[in-house]
Amino acid sequence: MTHPTATKVLVIGYVWPEPRSSAASGHVMQILETFLQQGWEVTFSSPASPGEHMADLAALGIREVPIELNNSSFDTFISELAPDIVLFDQFMMEEQFGWRVEQHCPNALRVLETSDLQSLRHARHQRLKDRLKNNSDQDDFSDLFAPALHEEFLSMAHSDLAKREIAALYRCDLNLMISAVEIALLVEQFGLPRHLLHECPLMVDSPSAPPRTFADRAHFLSIGNFRHAPNWDAVLWMKSTVWPLIRQQLPDAQLHIYGAYTPPKATALHNAAQGFHVLNRAEDALQVMAAARVCLAPLRFGAGIKGKLLDAMMCGTPSVTTPIGAEGMHGDARWPGAITHSAREFATRAVALYTDEALWQAAQQTGNTLLGERYQRAIHGPALIEKLRYCQQNLQALRAQNFTGSMLRHHSHKSTQYMSQWIEAKNKNK
């Protein structure tokens, strides 16, 4: 039972969390668990339909309340709940519900959980599309990987998505960022005040059992939700270019690709004769990761940090990826495997890891060290709680420092409010 004076948290989710389907949902669950460990009273709401693989929040003691877009029933709900903290999961939820939260619970701390910078991911996707349209070379993509922060800024600054997303960051009292690289981009290029941002990476506990050995593993593995565009692009690049190069060196190699919500276009790529196995969602992602010898993540665009690569470290599975895949995950430390810039380099390093036991063992140990240094729940969980409490205790002073956020709330929330009320009235008259 929660204490009568327990902090009340309302989480407004873009979707109901499916931690076995996406790293973003896994991160939300880690945050929810951190709140529960404090004895806080947590309510989760979403306007989305429940997904096939959604977490059983009620079993954890989290109240589940469906909500509707453009409906004043939310006003009654939040007024009665009177939360101390409102966490928006993705900026679109702040756009939809932020003005209602401010209107009915003005003293609630408003927090945005970003998962990744969507405008950055979309800008990189567009850059890849332009590159593929103007250049037939499917091998070397070094010109796309990890450009200077100012180049990233220039590629994003013109987009409506970036303007919407960064405005939402300003309107909130605190924003949880999963990547230090994205924090640097926002502070150094977009000019966001540093105090509005808090680094909250994926949080895990150290593995309790030693990982499986080199000899006790087989096959290459790739894993990721097929609905996530960077994952689908990685599968296509593997099929067309990367995997044939690996099979040239290892003719009997097998690649197992797992993904939630496998579409027919992905199933059509399955070819057992080529060792290219497109499978459905893994019931236990860590189990299949622990059985694989090498994890492949040839990501040509994306943002945030990658749950699959953290899972690989958890399972003692060396990985081969790109600078996009490894971004924000290892700082100045070595990577537990290889970071590559071209399909040929990717294939060569993957084969070396797969066949050289000493190289593989060194990469496994590197991953274990990185896990302990950067992703411990015991460090990041308390840091998050401390930051939230500090913001609650200094809320008015912090808001006074954020005039830009106040200005954006005034203009944006008024227009959103009037549009929402118009839509609601129109729906009632149908």
Side-chain angles (χ1 to χ4, degrees), residues 71-353:
N71 194 311
S72 56
S73 61
F74 179 86
D75 303 344
T76 303
F77 158 64
I78 195 170
S79 296
E80 293 175 351
L81 181 64
D84 303 294
I85 299 173
V86 176
L87 178 73
F88 303 101
D89 171 33
Q90 301 193 32
F91 80 91
M92 295 84 79
M93 293 298 94
E94 188 280 335
E95 286 184 326
Q96 289 288 339
F97 295 99
W99 68 271
R100 295 184 186 273
V101 172
E102 182 175 24
Q103 190 173 75
H104 297 282
C105 298
N107 295 321
L109 181 70
R110 297 185 292 269
V111 184
L112 176 58
E113 202 283 303
T114 59
S115 294
D116 66 5
L117 270 182
Q118 294 186 38
S119 50
L120 174 60
R121 171 161 38 92
H122 281 257
R124 288 172 168 174
H125 194 182
Q126 187 58 51
R127 198 158 63 225
L128 173 63
K129 290 177 182 177
D130 294 342
R131 162 74 160 71
L132 293 174
K133 188 185 301 182
N134 299 321
N135 190 324
S136 60
D137 180 12
Q138 287 287 304
D139 176 31
D140 190 347
F141 286 86
S142 56
D143 56 320
L144 293 182
F145 295 142
L149 289 180
H150 187 62
E151 292 179 57
E152 297 283 28
F153 167 74
L154 293 176
S155 70
M156 296 167 64
H158 69 281
S159 77
D160 289 344
L161 185 63
K163 292 166 187 172
R164 288 173 54 199
E165 186 169 28
I166 291 170
L169 298 177
Y170 266 111
R171 288 194 296 265
C172 288
D173 301 310
L174 184 67
N175 301 279
L176 308 185
M177 307 300 302
I178 205 165
S179 164
V181 171
E182 294 179 3
I183 290 177
L185 175 65
L186 290 170
V187 173
E188 296 173 20
Q189 299 299 319
F190 286 94
L192 260 81
R194 181 63 180 81
H195 72 264
L196 289 179
L197 309 172
H198 176 74
E199 185 177 0
C200 181
L202 296 171
M203 301 180 283
V204 297
D205 301 313
S206 296
S208 57
R212 291 167 70 164
T213 64
F214 178 87
D216 195 27
R217 297 170 180 249
H219 309 317
F220 293 94
L221 174 82
S222 182
I223 192 166
N225 190 328
F226 284 110
R227 288 180 176 174
H228 192 51
N231 293 337
W232 173 237
D233 176 74
V235 170
L236 292 176
W237 193 33
M238 275 195 290
K239 177 70 174 180
S240 67
T241 309
V242 176
W243 186 243
L245 292 170
I246 291 176
R247 288 275 287 193
Q248 284 178 11
Q249 300 177 63
L250 292 177
D252 296 325
Q254 306 292 311
L255 171 61
H256 294 166
I257 301 173
Y258 290 91
Y261 302 105
T262 310
K265 65 181 181 180
T267 306
L269 300 179
H270 176 86
N271 190 318
Q274 297 173 355
F276 198 88
H277 303 274
V278 179
L279 307 167
N280 292 317
R281 170 180 174 270
E283 284 302 314
D284 188 333
L286 294 179
Q287 185 178 56
V288 297
M289 182 69 78
R293 187 174 289 177
V294 176
C295 172
L296 305 182
L299 295 158
R300 295 191 288 188
F301 73 98
I305 62 177
K306 314 305 180 290
K308 61 178 72 64
L309 295 175
L310 184 60
D311 285 349
M313 294 180 215
M314 288 280 292
C315 296
T317 307
S319 59
V320 184
T321 189
T322 64
I324 292 290
E327 182 181 79
M329 293 198 70
H330 65 116
D332 296 326
R334 293 172 55 200
W335 184 254
I339 300 171
T340 64
H341 294 76
S342 70
R344 291 189 178 280
E345 183 188 8
F346 193 104
T348 299
R349 300 295 294 274
V351 169
L353 272 173

Side-chain angles (χ1 to χ4, degrees), residues 41-55:
E41 183 181 317
V42 181
T43 301
F44 194 101
S45 296
S46 177
S49 300
E52 183 182 349
H53 310 298
M54 69 172 281

